[in-house]
Amino acid sequence: MKTISENACFGGTQGVYSHASDVCNCEMTFGLFLPAEAKDGPVPVLWYLSGLTCTHENAMTKGGAQAWAAEHGIAVVFPDTSPRGDDVADDDDYDLGKGAGFYVNATQDPWAPHFQMWDYIAEELPKLITRNFEIDEERQGITGHSMGGHGALTLAMNLPERFLSVSAFAPIANPSASDWGRKQLTAYLGEDTAKWAKHDASLLMADKGFDGPILIDQGASDQFLDLLKPEALAAAMAAKRQQGTFRMQPGYDHSYFFVSTFMEDHIAFHADALYAG
């Protein structure tokens, strides 16, 4: 693992690191905020998964998470959204290829050799971080925005023992029924839609739900509402009697102005779960 930068931040440290990823078969970069409490021992951790076109840097610099994470003594991980490198497959469209990993393990060419983002987020990166930093692997929460909200919800419901809490900002909520999903899931996983189900938050909610609290914020003026399909997730949560809160926020769009506005609420929400008991 290489240290790219480390900066003092709200009494803690905002670092950026890179490492050779075995599962993605390339060099990967991630950001990690460690609060001051990490100097004295392991701290809870919140995973933040970013959306389409983003790198590790977008949420790290625009989301405003560090101030609230420092207040609660929580670390925040900012992974990249896809593999990178000259030999990594890409596409001319912004919503496929680099910056658009969709948090799945690709099985189709030309994506399969590198696009193993599910295993990267679920297995490889957590092991690297707990091995090298003061992170309490028993106290983890996960959140994300847009494509990252999709990833956060699907990881949380598929790994029920891993995360104590999950939240999302404007998640891609029903990708198997959306152009932000059908295109990418076909490209990465093939045309067998049965293989898509574990990567659709609305279908997972109807089938499994989540054994813990959920918080969803959605901007009512989001320019991508028809692609996100929040109504499918809200209906599935209600039908499942899921412990959770779904909030439509009047006037807010899909931008980081929206995300940063409600970041304090999301950090506090996760802190309640991570410090419960």
Side-chain angles (χ1 to χ4, degrees):
M1 192 181 69
K2 304 173 186 175
T3 300
I4 296 175
S5 62
E6 288 182 332
N7 298 93
C9 183
F10 293 100
T13 303
Q14 176 61 65
V16 177
Y17 310 93
S18 68
H19 69 105
S21 168
D22 291 332
V23 298
C24 291
N25 193 27
C26 64
E27 192 80 2
M28 296 292 288
T29 302
F30 66 93
L32 173 65
F33 171 74
L34 287 173
E37 288 84 349
K39 298 173 185 176
D40 300 319
V43 295
V45 62
L46 177 63
W47 292 79
Y48 183 100
L49 306 185
S50 289
L52 287 168
T53 75
C54 292
T55 69
H56 69 281
E57 194 171 20
N58 295 73
M60 191 179 79
T61 59
K62 296 179 180 180
Q66 294 91 338
W68 310 115
E71 185 174 303
H72 293 283
I74 294 172
V76 185
V77 185
F78 304 97
D80 203 347
T81 56
S82 78
R84 307 279 176 177
D86 293 340
D87 61 341
V88 174
D90 202 7
D91 192 271
D92 290 338
D93 289 341
Y94 74 94
D95 56 357
L96 188 66
K98 294 178 186 178
F102 259 76
Y103 305 102
V104 303
N105 286 339
T107 59
Q108 308 297 302
D109 289 332
W111 314 106
H114 297 284
F115 281 73
Q116 303 296 310
M117 288 301 294
W118 181 277
D119 283 351
Y120 180 69
I121 299 297
E123 301 296 337
E124 187 178 37
L125 189 55
K127 290 176 182 176
L128 179 75
I129 287 175
T130 54
R131 189 167 63 242
N132 287 279
F133 302 97
E134 291 291 343
I135 298 296
D136 184 350
E137 60 185 333
E138 299 300 318
R139 293 188 290 166
Q140 299 190 59
I142 190 166
T143 188
H145 173 228
S146 194
M147 180 185 71
H150 140 81
L153 291 165
T154 56
L155 281 156
M157 285 187 273
N158 279 295
L159 302 172
E161 305 300 320
R162 177 74 58 85
F163 300 104
L164 299 177
S165 53
V166 58
S167 72
F169 302 86
I172 300 175
N174 191 196
S176 63
S178 167
D179 288 342
W180 266 1
R182 285 192 299 254
K183 171 184 176 179
Q184 294 83 0
L185 295 176
T186 299
Y188 294 142
L189 303 178
E191 296 184 357
D192 183 357
T193 58
K195 296 178 180 178
W196 300 1
K198 70 175 286 186
H199 300 293
D200 188 306
S202 295
L203 298 181
L204 283 169
M205 179 59 64
D207 181 40
K208 298 173 180 281
F210 178 67
D211 186 19
I214 291 179
L215 172 62
I216 308 292
D217 272 314
Q218 172 63 61
S221 297
D222 193 313
Q223 60 271 45
F224 302 115
L225 274 176
D226 290 344
L227 294 166
L228 300 171
K229 297 193 176 297
E231 66 280 359
L233 179 58
M237 289 174 66
K240 196 67 175 179
R241 309 295 194 267
Q242 171 67 45
Q243 175 191 356
T245 301
F246 189 105
R247 308 191 301 191
M248 291 294 291
Q249 301 291 1
Y252 286 91
D253 60 14
H254 199 69
S255 70
Y256 264 95
F257 297 111
F258 157 66
V259 173
S260 60
T261 297
F262 298 103
M263 183 63 75
E264 179 183 6
D265 290 355
H266 283 245
I267 299 287
F269 162 80
H270 287 283
D272 286 345
L274 296 175
Y275 282 107

